[in-house]
Amino acid sequence: MKIAILTSGGDSAGMNAVVRSVVKTGILKGCEMWVVREGYEGLVRGNTEYRQATGMDAPTPNDGSIPDGPTPNILSSLRFGDGKLLKDGTGDYLGGRTLKGRYIVRVGWDDVRGWFAEGGTLIGTARSKAFRTPEGRLAAAHNLIREGIEALVVCGGDGSLTGADVFRAEWPKLVAELRSQSIITDAQAEAHAHLKIVGLVGSIDNDMSMTDMTIGAPTALHRICEAIDNINSTAFSHSRAFVLEVMGRHCGWLALLAGVAGGADFIFIPEQPPKGMPWEDEMCAAIQHHRDIGKRKTIVIVAEGAIDIDLNPIKAEYVKDVLSDRLGLDTRVTTLGHTQRGGRPCAWDRILPTLQGVEAIAALLESTPQTPSYMIGIQENKITRVPLMEAVEMTMAVAQAVSDKDFEKAMSLRDPEFSESLDGFIATASLRLRIALIHMGAPAGGMNAATRAAVRYCLRQGHTPLAIQNGFRGLLDDNVVELSWLGVDSWMARGGSELGTNRTLPSVDLGAVAAKFQQFNLQALMMIGGFEAFNALLILEGGRKHYPAFHIPMVHLPATISNNVPMTEYSLGSDTSLNALVDACDAIKQSASASRNRVFVVETQGGKCGYIATMGALATGACLVYTPEVGMSLNMLRKDVKFLKTRYGLDEKGKSEGRLVIRNEVASSVYTTEVLTNMFKEEGGSLFDARSASLGHTLQGGIPSPMDRARAVRLSLKCMTFIERHHALLEQQPAKARHATGESAAVITIQSSSIEWVPVQEMLKHADMANRRGKESWWSGVKELVEALVGRPALK
C-alpha cells in the first residue's frame, strides 16, 4: 500500500513526531511512504510543476542505492535524498537538488530521523482555499492517483479533518469524473476506487471532542506555565496584578489548565462565563478576598475567546482597567500569542503522537470501503479509534451550545477531565474533618500541587488540613502543623516535597503511630508517594485489627518518578521526570550527533521498574533500551553490537547520526553502564565511539510539569471526596464500635480509560513486593516498539 501523510491548518508541537511515527511504522509494515508538503495546498498542486520543468517524476536518490518497485523492508526504503531538504528548510532552493515544484514526495526511513525533537511541522502546513472548491479536490484526487497513493493520514484541526472526510465521501465521484475526461485510465480508476483516510488531531487548543488530548496542547500548556512561573516572581516582588491572554477562540482548555497548574486567581473561558452580572463584581470580590488575607500577587487568565453570559467578548485590556480602577492594583497585560505554539515538544507531545501514528497505520491497513474514517484519540492512557465525523459533529455542537447560551450543555460535551478541572479550580481558588496529609518515599513533581489542592479544598469545605512533616518519623516527633490557605499559595510550581519526605514505614513503631493518630484526633489520612506509601497503607490497614485509631478513611495518591505503583498507569512525577530526561537527552544527542559517530549510554533512575527508561527511549528516539524486567545477557549484547555496526554502516558517509542507548540503573548488576560503554567503544572500532552519562537525581526534575500539576489537582480532589464519602459511612455506625471496611483504605489509579479506586488488599494481589513494582505493566510492549522504530528487528 502507498500511504501519504499531510499536516494541515495551524502548526503544533508533536506534528513532526506524528510524521516520523507514521513513516517508520508504514515502512515496517511493508508500505511505501510519502509526505505531502504544505498541507492540502500541496495536495492540489502535486508534482505537476516539477514534471513540466524537468520532464521527470522525481530526482534520482543521492546515493543511488534505493531500488525501484515495492518496499519490502527498511533497506529498500532507507532514504530518498530529501530528508535534509525537508528538515533544514532548503527544499525550495533552486541550486542543486530541490523540492521546488514537488509537493508529494516519497520518503524513507532516514529521511525523517530526528524529527520528533523539532517544533512546528517540517513538511509545512497551509490553509488551502483551492481544496475547498470541487475543482481543487478533483486536482488533488488526480495527483494522488498519479502517484499511486491509496491512503491518506491527515493531522490537523476539526476543519482539516472535516475536509478529509468530505474528500473521502466524494472520492468515487471524483474518480468517475477523471475517468470520463480520460485523465486517468480504466486500470487506474479500478485500482483507486476507494480512498482510505485516518485523522489525527493537531491543535494547541485541545478543542476536539471524544479525545482527552490533542497533539500540541501539552507543549502549549508548558509554554504558558513557564510564562506564569516567570511572571509570578515579578508580580510578588511588586505586589502586582497580571492579566494573561492565552489562545483558545472556542475552547478554554489552555486557560483552564493553566489556571489550575499556575495557581491563577480568576479565569475566563468560553464554555463557562462568570455567572454573575456584572461579572466585574464577581471577579473583584474574589480577588479582593485573596488580597485581604495577605496575597501579594494576582494572576488572571483570559482565553482569547472569553465571553460573558450575554456572549459579549471579555478582553484582557478591559480586565486590566477594571483591576486598576476598582481595586487600585498595579496591573499589567501579557499576551502570549504565538509563543504558545513554538519550542521543542515536551515528552508527552513526543510519546502521544508516536503511539497514535502506530495506531493510524493499523487503522488504514484494516480499513475497508464499509468502515468509517477514524480519528485516533486518547482517553486517559488508552489510544482509541472513534468515527471522525462523530468527533467533529460533537466539537461543533460545543460551539453551537455556547452560541445558544446553553453553557451547561457545552461543558457536558467536553471530556470529563475538563469539567473536573473546572470544579477543581473553583474548589481551590475560593471545619469539620481533621485530615492528615503526609508525603512518603522519594520526592516527585506534583506532590506539592496535590497537597495545595487538598488544603484549599479542606478549607473551603470546613475541614482542618494537618501536615505531617518528615513522614512517619515526623509524626512520632510531633511534627504536625495546621496548613493555611495562603501558606500553600505558591506550592503549585514547587518541585520536591514542602512537607519533607523519607522512606520510613509506620511499622517502625505501629503502636506509637496509632497513639499519635489518637493524640492529634486524625479522622482521615491522605498519603502522597510511591511504593512506600502503598506499603504504608497496607500496614495501616492491617493494623486495624489491633488499633481502633486506624478505622478512618485512608487513601494513597501515587507520586513517584518510577511509576512503579501496581495497577495504575500513571503516577505524579513521572511526566516531570520524562521531561527532565528528554531535556538532558536532547542536549546529549546534540553532542553525539556533532561527533557524527558517537553512541551515548545514558543511565536513568527507576529502581527495579523500567518505565522511565522505556518511555524515555520512546520520547528521545533511543536505539536500545535496557530494563530490569527484561534484564541483560551476553547474547543480547552481542546482537546489539551487531545491530549498531550494521546501522552505522548504512549511514551516509560523513553524515552518521549520534545515537542514544538508555539503561535503567539496575538493569543488570554485571553489565553496568561502565561495562556497556567500554564494550561499545571497543567493538565500535572505526564505525562509532561511545560515552556514558548518568542522570541520577536530576530526573526528579525542578519545576513540575503542567501535566503533573493539573493531574495532581484532579486526583487530589477525588481523594478528598473519597474521604468524605467513607467518613459519612462511618458516621452511620455507633461511635464506640466503628469499623472501617476494606474499601475505605484504597489507592486511586488510572486504568486504561478510567479512574478506579482499588482497595489496598486487592492491590497486594497485583504487586511484586520483592521487586517493588506491579506484576503487569501496560507499557511492557513499548520496548519492542522503541526497537522497531529504529529498525533493530529488521536489521539483524
Side-chain angles (χ1 to χ4, degrees):
M1 182 186 292
K2 293 186 178 183
I3 301 173
I5 178 170
L6 65 84
T7 54
S8 177
D11 65 306
S12 59
M15 281 185 165
N16 292 318
V18 165
V19 176
R20 172 184 177 269
S21 175
V22 166
V23 168
K24 291 201 167 191
T25 304
I27 291 173
L28 286 174
K29 298 294 185 181
C31 301
E32 192 173 297
M33 300 306 300
W34 300 66
V35 297
V36 181
R37 300 173 60 227
E38 313 304 338
Y40 286 123
E41 188 66 23
L43 206 59
V44 173
R45 294 183 182 184
N47 297 330
T48 303
E49 183 183 331
Y50 184 84
R51 285 191 177 92
Q52 291 173 346
T54 66
M56 297 189 302
D57 289 338
T60 304
N62 274 344
D63 58 6
S65 63
I66 311 300
D68 295 328
T71 58
N73 55 45
I74 291 174
L75 290 180
S76 58
S77 280
L78 192 59
R79 53 183 166 268
F80 293 93
D82 297 315
K84 187 174 186 297
L85 302 179
L86 289 163
K87 188 174 182 181
D88 65 14
T90 61
D92 289 326
Y93 181 62
L94 293 176
R97 189 178 181 87
T98 181
L99 291 170
K100 189 75 174 176
R102 286 196 295 145
Y103 292 93
I104 305 176
V105 180
R106 187 175 177 187
V107 290
W109 188 267
D110 279 358
D111 290 323
V112 296
R113 73 181 186 185
W115 282 27
F116 59 89
E118 302 286 337
T121 169
L122 294 176
I123 62 175
T125 181
R127 291 180 170 89
S128 174
K129 292 182 179 179
F131 188 76
R132 295 173 188 164
T133 67
E135 297 78 14
R137 292 192 290 275
L138 187 68
H142 180 214
N143 288 326
L144 287 179
I145 292 172
R146 178 183 286 176
E147 304 299 345
I149 293 168
E150 308 156 69
L152 194 61
V153 179
V154 177
C155 182
D158 57 349
S160 301
L161 299 189
T162 299
D165 197 70
V166 169
F167 192 40
R168 184 196 182 192
E170 290 182 351
W171 184 263
K173 184 176 70 174
L174 296 172
V175 171
E177 187 171 345
L178 289 170
R179 180 66 196 99
S180 68
Q181 296 179 22
S182 299
I183 297 175
I184 61 174
T185 65
D186 288 338
Q188 286 177 313
E190 183 178 353
H192 296 273
H194 303 284
L195 178 67
K196 300 176 179 180
I197 281 183
V198 66
L200 299 105
V201 192
S203 167
I204 70 166
D205 293 342
N206 199 27
D207 54 357
M208 181 65 77
S209 296
M210 300 181 75
T211 182
D212 292 347
M213 192 74 69
T214 59
I215 296 164
T219 300
L221 184 59
H222 268 255
R223 299 291 94 84
I224 295 170
C225 288
E226 286 168 0
I228 294 174
D229 293 342
N230 292 334
I231 284 171
N232 270 331
S233 58
T234 189
F236 183 87
S237 299
H238 294 274
S239 191
R240 280 180 179 154
F242 274 85
V243 182
L244 271 74
E245 182 183 288
V246 302
M247 286 187 171
R249 283 176 297 172
H250 305 295
C251 178
W253 186 85
L254 283 174
L256 171 58
L257 269 292
V260 171
D265 295 85
F266 209 83
I267 61 171
F268 293 96
I269 61 175
E271 297 89 344
Q272 190 73 281
K275 294 179 181 178
M277 283 297 282
W279 57 262
E280 294 89 340
D281 293 346
E282 182 181 342
M283 178 186 71
C284 288
I287 291 172
Q288 186 61 57
H289 175 65
H290 296 171
R291 288 281 175 163
D292 288 343
I293 62 176
K295 191 172 184 183
R296 285 180 54 83
K297 60 183 175 66
T298 297
I299 301 290
V300 176
I301 301 179
V302 183
E304 61 180 328
I307 52 175
D308 64 21
I309 57 175
D310 292 326
L311 307 185
N312 299 310
I314 296 175
K315 298 299 182 182
E317 283 291 341
Y318 178 68
V319 174
K320 171 207 165 189
D321 292 340
V322 172
L323 294 175
S324 298
D325 297 342
R326 295 182 55 168
L327 299 182
L329 298 176
D330 182 8
T331 308
R332 300 289 189 274
V333 171
T334 298
T335 301
L336 298 183
H338 284 75
T339 60
Q340 295 159 86
R341 290 190 182 278
R344 296 181 303 116
C346 67
W348 193 236
D349 259 333
R350 304 180 191 204
I351 293 170
L352 174 61
T354 299
L355 297 176
Q356 288 185 322
V358 172
E359 184 66 17
I361 293 296
L364 287 177
L365 293 176
E366 296 168 12
S367 176
T368 69
Q370 291 72 41
T371 55
S373 301
Y374 284 115
M375 180 192 82
I376 309 301
I378 185 170
Q379 293 179 355
E380 295 296 351
N381 273 16
K382 183 181 180 182
I383 303 297
T384 60
R385 296 182 198 176
V386 296
L388 191 154
M389 285 315 296
E390 283 187 26
V392 171
E393 288 167 5
M394 185 177 290
T395 301
M396 293 179 174
V398 176
Q400 186 59 49
V402 170
S403 298
D404 296 340
K405 300 184 181 181
D406 191 348
F407 302 112
E408 185 176 339
K409 180 179 179 182
M411 289 297 299
S412 70
L413 291 172
R414 292 292 186 205
D415 67 89
E417 186 174 2
F418 189 93
S419 57
E420 288 175 8
S421 295
L422 181 59
D423 292 340
F425 178 81
I426 294 170
T428 58
S430 320
L431 295 172
R432 295 187 305 268
L433 271 173
R434 291 173 61 82
I435 301 178
L437 306 168
I438 187 171
H439 294 176
M440 290 203 65
M447 277 183 161
N448 296 320
T451 305
R452 176 185 182 272
V455 170
R456 292 282 179 92
Y457 182 88
C458 284
L459 295 173
R460 184 172 183 266
Q461 297 297 106
H463 306 314
T464 302
L466 299 170
I468 300 175
Q469 299 178 321
N470 305 318
F472 282 98
R473 287 193 181 278
L475 177 64
L476 296 174
D477 292 335
D478 293 336
N479 292 333
V480 180
V481 297
E482 185 174 337
L483 294 173
S484 66
W485 191 96
L486 188 61
V488 298
D489 184 58
S490 60
W491 286 20
M492 185 64 74
R494 293 186 185 177
S497 168
E498 289 296 309
L499 298 187
T501 182
N502 56 58
R503 300 180 186 275
T504 301
L505 296 173
S507 55
V508 66
D509 192 338
L510 193 58
V513 169
K516 294 299 180 182
F517 271 46
Q518 289 180 317
Q519 177 184 330
F520 291 105
N521 189 25
L522 303 185
Q523 295 172 291
L525 175 67
M526 176 177 170
M527 292 186 288
I528 305 171
F531 207 86
E532 287 82 6
F534 160 63
N535 221 336
L537 184 59
L538 192 63
I539 293 167
L540 293 173
E541 200 275 342
R544 285 174 169 174
K545 294 179 289 187
H546 308 289
Y547 303 104
F550 297 147
H551 283 279
I552 58 175
M554 296 184 288
V555 63
H556 169 207
L557 172 53
T560 165
I561 70 169
S562 303
N563 201 23
N564 61 341
V565 176
M567 295 189 74
T568 187
E569 298 179 2
Y570 182 89
S571 300
L572 298 182
S574 59
D575 185 66
T576 299
S577 183
L578 280 174
N579 279 289
L581 176 62
V582 162
D583 289 344
C585 286
D586 279 355
I588 290 170
K589 194 166 186 179
Q590 187 178 65
S591 170
S593 294
S595 302
R596 296 299 185 195
N597 62 344
R598 180 164 290 170
V599 174
F600 259 94
V601 181
V602 180
E603 180 178 292
T604 74
Q605 287 190 326
K608 294 185 178 180
C609 177
Y611 174 84
I612 289 295
T614 303
M615 300 306 287
L618 185 65
T620 59
C623 59
L624 297 170
V625 58
Y626 299 105
T627 65
E629 289 87 350
V630 177
M632 300 170 68
S633 68
L634 188 59
N635 189 47
M636 176 191 296
L637 296 178
R638 184 182 296 114
K639 292 177 180 177
D640 291 344
V641 168
K642 182 181 178 182
F643 161 67
L644 286 173
K645 286 183 175 180
T646 302
R647 181 62 267 219
Y648 272 100
L650 291 170
D651 283 345
E652 290 184 75
K653 191 174 182 181
K655 296 182 180 179
S656 290
E657 179 187 21
R659 292 182 167 88
L660 298 178
V661 173
I662 295 185
R663 177 187 177 277
N664 171 280
E665 59 188 346
V666 292
S668 169
S669 59
V670 175
Y671 302 112
T672 63
T673 300
E674 182 180 4
V675 169
L676 197 61
T677 305
N678 289 336
M679 182 190 68
F680 286 151
K681 186 183 296 185
E682 178 69 20
E683 296 295 327
S686 61
L687 282 174
F688 58 89
D689 189 14
R691 295 287 190 277
S692 64
S694 179
L695 301 184
H697 285 76
T698 62
L699 292 183
Q700 290 180 357
I703 297 173
S705 73
M707 181 179 291
D708 273 334
R709 299 190 218 179
R711 277 196 168 170
V713 173
R714 182 187 181 203
L715 297 177
S716 180
L717 297 180
K718 283 186 173 291
C719 289
M720 290 294 104
T721 56
F722 173 90
I723 285 171
E724 289 175 329
R725 183 170 69 253
H726 282 279
H727 177 74
L729 293 174
L730 281 171
E731 287 286 292
Q732 297 172 11
Q733 300 179 24
K736 293 185 179 181
R738 284 178 184 164
H739 182 84
T741 63
E743 286 74 19
S744 67
V747 183
I748 188 169
T749 66
I750 294 178
Q751 298 182 31
S752 189
S753 59
S754 61
I755 291 177
E756 304 287 346
W757 289 100
V758 181
V760 68
Q761 290 294 337
E762 176 66 22
M763 182 81 78
L764 181 61
K765 300 175 185 177
H766 299 269
D768 180 350
M769 300 299 288
N771 290 309
R772 293 165 50 82
R773 65 190 184 215
K775 292 179 179 178
E776 297 178 356
S777 56
W778 67 271
W779 46 267
S780 57
V782 173
K783 183 180 188 298
E784 286 71 26
L785 177 60
V786 168
E787 295 178 348
L789 290 176
V790 296
R792 187 187 183 282
L795 297 175
K796 295 179 180 179

